[in-house]
Amino acid sequence: MRLRDEIEQTLRAWDAYEKARKASPVIDFDCAPTAAKVTAAPSRLDVHSTLAQLYERAERDGDQVCAEQLRAHLAYLGALLGERPPLDDYLTATQGCSAAGWPEEYVTAVGERARTALAEIGVSWDATTDRQLRDAEGPVEAADAPEMIRAAASEAEPAVRALAETDAPYTLEITTADVDAYWAYWLDGTGQDVRLRFNLRNAAFTKVRLRQFALHEILGHALQSASYTATASRTDVPWPRLLSVHVPYQVLLEGIAQAMPLFVTPDDTAVTVRVRLDHYLQLVRADLHRAINAGVPVADCADHARACVPFWTADAIADILTDRGNDPQLRSYLWAYPAGIDWFVNLADTADTETVGKVFRAVYTQPSTPHQLTQLWPTGPRIGGPGTPLRLRKPPLP
């Protein structure tokens, strides 16, 4: 059997095993749907052994596309089994970039831009910023959210399709969930059939957030995944056609989704304010990600969070640290958000139109790693940050 197909067969068996024990799925999106019956793997150790053998074969055959994905799967599965490699090694294997981080001066400048953007719409920077922003954005009843997010996506879809040069079809189902997890919106699916879930525990429905997440979830993740399915159906692609959150193309997927308004609706000020704020918040989360994994005491991490973001609650800060420190999946995946948004915001702000078009066309054709993104825009910033010693702040004295 072809190596790519053996990898997919192994991932399907592993995914079935994890689902059977009510653990996190391995497959986030299936770009090669099959009606064949899937038998769950007997154990994680069996999966690890099979993946290791496939990795050796990929290295022997010089198949770097498959080898890179297999390295990521092995690193994540090793973490599930109890391994705890240094953060930089873990992220390099799973997300394809290092945990180098961003200089304090850069993070401060991004924060100043976010605060200026907020001030321009009448929102001050203090313990009430989040509430002020929600009020300014126009609260929406949960019952009205599905139709409104569909309408927002429909309005922006022609512009995204033109930029990405994709005609891939998709069907969208919107459901709700009530889950104790960091996410407010989540998209997964099979082939051209995609499912968007609203996590009622976290989702704040406002007119602005729905416009933002129409771009992020539907025209980012949904259209992108459907486009990969279309590519895989037309072409004998070399890459495994099952997407997972612990594999190196997540920097691309989460980066472009977060920055999408800067490319598609740059004149929608309320939404671009959210992007500027999210850019800063993700860089602060990156500081905390590095700190908690470097053994910095929790109290010092919490002080840094409060000094940087006065409206974060103690519960929110605790979740940020727990997710990035204890959860093998999120210890990897959540780094894709700061690494991705930083690269794509810089692309929007500084690259020419030709480069932006080249990137969009490429990344709506197939999933791309940080190395491949750098090849598309060699003069862009280093993904994962240029590298800097970790320096944490203290909140001002009362």
Side-chain angles (χ1 to χ4, degrees):
M1 185 185 293
R2 180 178 174 181
L3 177 59
R4 181 202 68 186
D5 298 340
E6 284 199 55
I7 294 171
E8 291 176 357
Q9 183 181 67
T10 303
L11 295 180
R12 291 186 193 281
W14 179 19
D15 182 69
Y17 171 82
E18 297 294 345
K19 287 179 177 176
R21 60 184 290 168
K22 308 299 182 185
S24 296
V26 172
I27 299 170
D28 191 48
F29 203 98
D30 187 341
C31 298
T34 175
K37 182 180 178 180
V38 176
T39 301
S43 72
R44 287 174 174 170
L45 278 178
D46 286 279
V47 175
H48 193 278
S49 176
T50 302
L51 290 174
Q53 292 171 23
L54 293 173
Y55 176 68
E56 290 178 5
R57 179 175 160 192
E59 287 284 275
R60 187 171 61 248
D61 294 347
D63 187 340
Q64 289 306 306
V65 172
C66 287
E68 187 169 27
Q69 292 204 21
L70 286 164
R71 272 196 299 272
H73 290 304
L74 281 166
Y76 171 58
L77 181 52
L80 287 179
L81 289 166
E83 295 178 355
R84 189 176 173 83
L87 182 65
D88 198 69
D89 294 345
Y90 190 51
L91 294 178
T92 299
T94 56
Q95 296 302 326
C97 64
S98 72
W102 292 264
E104 182 181 12
E105 297 77 15
Y106 178 75
V107 177
T108 299
V110 170
E112 184 56 38
R113 186 168 190 177
R115 288 187 288 274
T116 299
L118 287 166
E120 289 173 353
I121 62 169
V123 174
S124 59
W125 186 258
D126 54 37
T128 68
T129 298
D130 197 41
R131 178 183 56 76
Q132 293 179 63
L133 195 51
R134 285 199 304 271
D135 291 344
E137 290 177 341
V140 170
E141 293 293 330
D144 298 327
E147 188 57 37
M148 292 182 70
I149 200 169
R150 285 182 187 274
S154 179
E155 182 177 350
E157 188 165 331
V160 178
R161 286 190 179 276
L163 189 55
E165 294 185 3
T166 179
D167 59 2
Y170 66 90
T171 59
L172 176 67
E173 175 191 11
I174 299 178
T175 65
T176 60
D178 187 358
V179 182
D180 183 14
Y182 78 94
W183 56 271
Y185 305 81
W186 189 271
L187 190 133
D188 55 18
T190 300
Q192 263 83 40
D193 299 323
V194 298
R195 177 184 65 163
L196 174 60
R197 285 182 288 167
F198 295 154
N199 186 0
L200 298 179
R201 195 171 302 196
N202 291 335
F205 298 112
T206 69
K207 294 175 183 178
V208 173
R209 291 295 262 177
L210 289 173
R211 295 202 301 274
Q212 179 185 17
F213 278 91
L215 290 166
H216 183 127
E217 299 290 351
I218 300 175
L219 301 178
H221 296 330
L223 182 57
Q224 211 164 12
S225 299
S227 297
Y228 297 159
T229 299
T231 298
S233 67
R234 291 192 304 262
T235 309
D236 187 21
V237 298
W239 40 273
R241 299 162 295 177
L242 305 175
L243 307 185
S244 302
V245 299
H246 57 266
V247 178
Y249 39 69
Q250 286 301 327
V251 169
L252 150 68
L253 299 181
E254 296 303 342
I256 199 169
Q258 291 175 96
M260 188 74 75
L262 301 183
F263 300 101
V264 180
T265 58
D267 296 328
D268 188 341
T269 301
V271 175
T272 60
V273 167
R274 271 288 181 182
V275 177
R276 299 301 178 188
L277 176 59
D278 287 347
H279 186 194
Y280 173 64
L281 297 182
Q282 292 295 5
L283 294 182
V284 176
R285 292 186 183 105
D287 283 344
L288 298 173
H289 201 142
R290 295 174 65 209
I292 199 65
N293 280 278
V296 174
V298 166
D300 291 347
C301 292
D303 281 347
H304 180 72
R306 293 189 184 100
C308 294
V309 187
F311 53 88
W312 274 351
T313 65
D315 199 40
I317 295 167
D319 284 347
I320 288 169
L321 298 175
T322 301
D323 290 345
R324 288 158 180 79
N326 281 347
D327 188 308
Q329 184 184 77
L330 300 182
R331 186 175 184 241
S332 164
Y333 174 48
L334 293 182
W335 187 258
Y337 286 83
I341 194 172
D342 185 68
W343 195 83
F344 276 96
V345 164
N346 276 281
L347 180 74
D349 287 345
T350 64
D352 57 43
T353 302
E354 181 180 351
T355 300
V356 169
K358 179 174 67 172
V359 170
F360 264 77
R361 290 190 297 274
V363 302
Y364 272 77
T365 300
Q366 68 176 46
S368 301
T369 65
H371 175 68
Q372 291 168 319
L373 291 177
T374 300
Q375 289 180 318
L376 290 168
W377 187 33
T379 59
R382 181 179 176 185
I383 297 175
T388 182
L390 188 60
R391 295 172 59 189
L392 300 186
R393 295 170 54 187
K394 292 281 188 182
L397 294 174

